[in-house]
Amino acid sequence: MMVRLVILAELVAIAAAFAMPESLQAWVLISVVLATAALTVAIFLPPSSLGLAKLLRPSLVVVLAAPALWMALQAVPMPIGKLGNPIWATASATLNEPLAEKITVDTTATMFSLVQYCAVLAAALTAAVIALDRHGAARLLHILLSIATIVTALWFGREITGVAGPDGSTVAVLGVLLSCATAIRAVDQILRRSRPGTIALGPLPALSVATIALIVCMAALLIRGNSTALVSALLGSEILLSVFAVRRWFPGLWGTAGVLATATIVFIATATVIPFRTNTDLTIVLSTSSQAATERMLQDVAPAGSGAGASTVLLPIYQDAGVGDTPERPTAAATIVIDMGWAFLCALVVAALLCASVLIRRALSRAYDYVFPALGAGALIAVTILAFSDHGILSLGASLLVAALFGLAFGQSLSDAGRDAISSEPKATSDQIAVQAPAPRRTLTPTLVAIWPRVSLMVLGIVLIVEAAWMALPERYLGARSSLPAVLSTAAAGPSAMSKTSSLAAAREDLWIRGGSRFNRDSALAADEQRTAPPMTSDEFARALRSSPLRGDIWLLLAATSKHSSPQPNTAAMLRMSYYTAPNDLDLLPLRVSVALAADVMVREPDLRELIKRDVSLVVRHRPALKPALVSAYRSASADGKIYFEGLMSELDPTFLDQVHAKSSQRGSR
């Protein structure tokens, strides 16, 4: 019963990650489901959990907890000021209040990354518990294959119809490996169970389904996937086929050495067809898309990183203006370096290679079910290659699928004797026990060994519950949120058009947009939210910036709401922060120009004059549709602001300047 419940929880969590957009509701649902699974396993751990205790040793617990501890350390104040990111000192001076320096540049983004890592860890450990049972491992394998095939088919359909969506090449690669593992397992069962002159019919349905899934996933990779994804799928499948060949036809030391040597040669030959980029950073060497902004971020990365999840916050700062609706996506390897540092990536690569070698060794030492550890080894090789090619493995759905696959592989990596060695100790005869060890230690050993999995899973479940409450409670008490782009477009119509209600929507979105996703609501719902939302002061904007000081949009809204209540130097400093933290965000240009031109003091400062000129030039060259907003900014500008704006437009677009004068004259005559 417990195994079925945990399998259902894994299915719900992974399916929700793929089916639902990466919204706050999806994060909460997945965290609660996986927390329930982890706590259920911890409380009702079966006797076979002693096999999990053999896998989940105290040293491994420390290794698995290290990334979470590092993320938490990035989000806490540093005892020495120079260890933190300089943005905190700059934000402290602008807000005129002390702010503790931290390694991360965005506390909220780092906390959401910690939530995702805990969810991935829970998915892997609960999958390992399921895989301790041979039949549970088979059911989980079939479920993962079904999910990967369905997601790949949907991605392939969207690609054919031209509908934009997330890249599914990573899931397609995993689908190829899962289908190969299912097919090899079915073939192995047929060869073992068949009598001379007959064929076992039981495994044939699984073999047929695996063949169909393999065709779907390979077709998607061949038609829509890039060459690196295809090669990674082939190399991962090669590991599976090599282990199958050794187990079936080349047993023994020399046969194993020959097969592995041949596989290594094929591996190197296949890897040579991967298109490598030259004269670029190692983390983006396999990427086929533009990585100009990523290269600039990598040049400025600190040894300790910029904080988990910081790459999404830093990307708009380094990205060029006018990139269109398809923003750049750093590769997973580049994202890890930017977020966690080079040492963290090197440790991950070394750990992946070591784990792959351990799984291959365990697969070759097993009498049956060797396909599961071989699947994990092939997936480790494929995922490592994909990390240097695209960003797919870091998405919520793909990361949960990978975690469940690795849990399946490690749960079945030990032989039956290895899993049952600890549980069979209490059944030994009294004479054997007397010879082996003293009685008191003998009775406590199984209990002490079984404590580690229980404690680890229980702590992980509690942490996930706390994180889900952290995400859900503000949603309950703060109410609904509106879309920040809508707020900015409303504010761009003129300084008076930005209401306190809209300010509330922007500040609330700041708390969650960097961690989860952007919430898309229809216009009617957004209007209802604006009518029912309570007012909010500029202090709430400042509170949001205390956790996300690189939010150029919030700096701009704070400058716009506080320009009448704060001294002009403070407003100018906030406006500068908006320019420096969001220099190429075209959606901010109308409101930013309006705020900058509204006060003579800001127009007279040389650095702000250059920044205003840059914004106006971007509107004229890259976003002509925003020119009416410039007319509104001109109407609300101060005397010096109008003079400076007229000088700029006479240089950039004299024809449009005549239209501005004509529209202003018509408005004045009314």
Side-chain angles (χ1 to χ4, degrees), residues 170-205:
T170 299
V171 180
V173 171
L174 297 177
V176 170
L177 299 180
L178 289 166
S179 58
C180 286
T182 304
I184 291 174
R185 184 173 183 273
V187 170
D188 186 66
Q189 289 177 340
I190 291 174
L191 294 177
R192 285 192 290 108
R193 297 179 182 178
S194 299
R195 297 178 180 179
T198 63
I199 298 178
L201 300 179
L204 287 181

Side-chain angles (χ1 to χ4, degrees), residues 404-418:
L405 189 153
F406 289 156
L408 171 65
F410 278 96
Q412 273 287 314
S413 62
L414 295 179
S415 62
D416 293 338

Side-chain angles (χ1 to χ4, degrees), residues 34-43 45-46 49 52 56 61 121-129 450-464:
L34 291 176
T36 303
L39 291 174
T40 301
V41 171
I43 296 173
L45 209 57
S49 63
L52 179 62
L56 200 61
V61 172
L121 201 57
L125 294 180
T126 51
V129 173
I451 284 177
W452 278 106
R454 290 181 182 273
V455 173
S456 301
L457 288 168
M458 189 167 293
V459 170
L460 184 58
I462 294 173
V463 169
L464 280 171

Side-chain angles (χ1 to χ4, degrees), residues 490-500 502 560 563-564 591 594-595 598 632 636 667:
T490 302
S496 60
M498 188 177 61
S499 64
K500 293 182 180 180
S502 300
K563 65 180 180 179
H564 298 297
L591 177 59
S594 177
V595 175
S632 178
S636 61
R667 181 182 179 88

Side-chain angles (χ1 to χ4, degrees), residues 281 292-302 318 338:
D281 193 271
T294 303
E295 289 188 82
R296 291 192 286 268
M297 285 192 291
L298 290 169
Q299 293 173 359
D300 296 338
V301 67
Y318 288 87
I338 295 168

Side-chain angles (χ1 to χ4, degrees), residues 99-178:
L99 294 179
E101 294 192 13
K102 306 171 186 177
I103 294 177
T104 180
V105 298
D106 195 302
T107 306
T108 304
T110 301
M111 294 306 298
F112 269 93
S113 297
L114 179 59
V115 172
Q116 181 173 355
Y117 179 74
C118 292
V120 166
L121 201 57
L125 294 180
T126 51
V129 173
I130 297 171
L132 292 174
D133 176 67
R134 178 178 299 174
H135 301 290
R139 287 195 293 267
L140 183 59
L141 175 64
H142 297 157
I143 289 174
L144 297 181
L145 175 60
S146 302
I147 294 175
T149 305
I150 293 173
V151 173
T152 301
L154 293 176
W155 168 65
F156 186 50
R158 286 195 301 266
E159 289 290 315
I160 292 177
T161 57
V163 178
D167 185 17
S169 57
T170 299
V171 180
V173 171
L174 297 177
V176 170
L177 299 180
L178 289 166

